[in-house]
Structures are given as structure tokens and as C-alpha cells.
Amino acid sequence: MFTGIIEAVGKITSLDDLGQDIRLTVQSGKMDMSDVHLGDSIATNGVCLTVVEKGDNYYRADVSAETIKYTGFAHYQNGSRVNLEKAMRPDSRFGGHIVSGHVDGVGKVIGINEHTRYVEVWVKAPDELAKYIAHKGSITVDGVSLTVNEVKGASFMLWLIPHTLKETVIGDYKVGTSVNLEVDVIARYLERLMLGERAAQDNSEDISMSFLAEHGYLK
């Protein structure tokens, strides 16, 4: 489990073809690697990856074809900067929100507006994720725990302070940048719980407006 509080910005230094998968090498930047062991997890732009090799200032991880298909890794190349966070320790401070490192979809930056003390960033999420994105709710963007400040359909707006822009790859964003999105896991559990006994049925994921009305969620 992660919290979405970024520890360092790393850099991809190699992408080695292993057939259908790739072996990724990441320069770990200022992140302390002394307590990282083989088999540990590191969130890399929000994707939970397992360390298969490490050194004082780098680690390697295998990225499956499935992960490449459903995350921004399809667009990464040598030199790409990535947000890094080691898995949360049970005795550490919980500064963000619950982040699993399992990306739900890839969004796209559709607008950037600079203000005096913050930058306003608009992101278009895949339509199927819109129901999980709520005003003042939490969302993970490239591994960063952020608060949704406005929602319009499947698009949402973030206010980014200078510290966040400086300490994460969000400062590199341009209109058109693809970003990894992970919705709040609590929303997914609530959706499942609402199904009740229907959860065991083959089409149990389909929560329709009629289902919500039938069970008192709409008036």
C-alpha cells in the first residue's frame, strides 16, 4: 500500500525488451535505497512494481504486457521522469490517502491555467471512471495523492501548489500529456457493497439508475 506522497522524482535509464514484457531501470534520484530489498514494491508513476535488482541509486523491475497496455508505460522512453514512492511502513505517517498502485486508466491533460500561487490543471478521465470521481474527493495522478476541486462530466480540475509542481513530474505536464489514474479504492468497495446479493451474479457490476432508485439512493 502507498499514500500518494512522492518521495523522489526518478528517471528511466533503460527499457530492455524481454519479449512480451520489458525490464525497466530507474535512477532513484534522492530516494533512499538503503532499506529497499529485492521483492519490495515501489510505485513508479503510480504503478506498483516489484524490485528485481537494485543498487545505491537505481532499481530494476519487470513490467508486463498487461501493465504496458493499461498504463502510461506505453508512452515512456529513456529519460522519462517518474514519481517514486516506496511502499508504506506500518509505523509511518499517513499523509495522503489509500493508494494501491493499481492503475484504473489513463487520462489526458486537457488544460493548464497558471495563477499567482497555484496552477489549475484539467484532466480528462476515461468515461468509465467518471462515476468514481467526486468534488473534494481523492484521486491519484501519476502516483500523487490529490484533491479534486471541480468535476465536469469525465473531466476534473486540480489546484497544484508550487511545492507539488517542484517535487513531482506534474511540473512537466503539457496539454496532451497522458497520466496514470487510480480512483479512490473506497468508492470501488462502496459500489460493490451496494450490489448486495447481486454481487454474485454474472452481470453484477451494472449499477443502473433504476437499481439506485429501487434501493432508495435516488428520489
Side-chain angles (χ1 to χ4, degrees):
M1 188 178 80
F2 307 92
T3 69
I5 304 300
I6 301 306
E7 297 180 55
V9 173
K11 182 183 291 186
I12 295 174
T13 57
S14 70
L15 295 155
D16 300 323
D17 189 355
L18 301 180
Q20 291 187 327
D21 303 343
I22 61 172
R23 177 157 291 180
L24 179 78
T25 304
V26 179
Q27 186 182 67
S28 54
K30 67 179 183 181
M31 188 171 71
D32 181 12
M33 294 291 292
S34 64
D35 60 348
V36 175
H37 305 285
L38 297 185
D40 282 357
S41 297
I42 296 178
T44 307
N45 257 18
V47 181
C48 178
L49 297 179
T50 300
V51 175
V52 299
E53 184 181 328
K54 57 152 287 190
D56 292 338
N57 62 354
Y58 78 93
Y59 65 93
R60 291 194 174 101
D62 293 338
V63 184
S64 69
E66 185 81 357
T67 299
I68 296 169
K69 180 179 179 181
Y70 290 104
T71 71
F73 273 101
H75 309 286
Y76 298 166
Q77 55 191 343
N78 287 349
S80 293
R81 291 179 2 120
V82 286
N83 292 320
L84 304 179
E85 181 191 356
K86 292 181 285 190
M88 181 183 178
R89 290 164 48 104
D91 61 346
S92 58
R93 180 173 293 167
F94 202 131
H97 73 282
I98 298 173
V99 177
S100 67
H102 301 155
V103 171
D104 292 301
V106 177
K108 182 170 289 189
V109 176
I110 58 172
I112 299 175
N113 301 305
E114 295 189 8
H115 299 270
T116 304
R117 290 295 300 160
Y118 68 93
V119 173
E120 175 186 322
V121 176
W122 280 90
V123 178
K124 172 67 169 63
D127 289 348
E128 61 271 20
L129 297 185
K131 60 183 176 180
Y132 303 111
I133 302 171
H135 179 232
K136 296 303 181 182
S138 296
I139 192 164
T140 307
V141 180
D142 278 343
V144 184
S145 173
L146 296 169
T147 299
V148 175
N149 292 102
E150 189 174 340
V151 181
K152 292 182 179 179
S155 299
F156 62 92
M157 186 264 282
L158 307 164
W159 286 342
L160 288 311
I161 61 174
H163 178 80
T164 303
L165 297 171
K166 178 182 177 182
E167 298 297 330
T168 74
V169 302
I170 294 177
D172 300 338
Y173 287 178
K174 299 176 175 61
V175 172
T177 297
S178 296
V179 294
N180 291 325
L181 301 178
E182 180 185 333
V183 299
D184 191 347
V185 66
I186 295 174
R188 287 201 173 277
Y189 280 118
L190 285 174
E191 178 185 41
R192 189 72 172 168
L193 285 168
M194 285 170 60
L195 291 167
E197 294 180 357
R198 291 183 68 245
Q201 300 175 13
D202 288 343
N203 61 347
S204 59
E205 294 300 329
D206 298 325
I207 295 183
S208 63
M209 296 301 287
S210 60
F211 172 85
L212 293 173
E214 178 185 349
H215 291 81
Y217 295 103
L218 297 177
K219 293 183 180 181

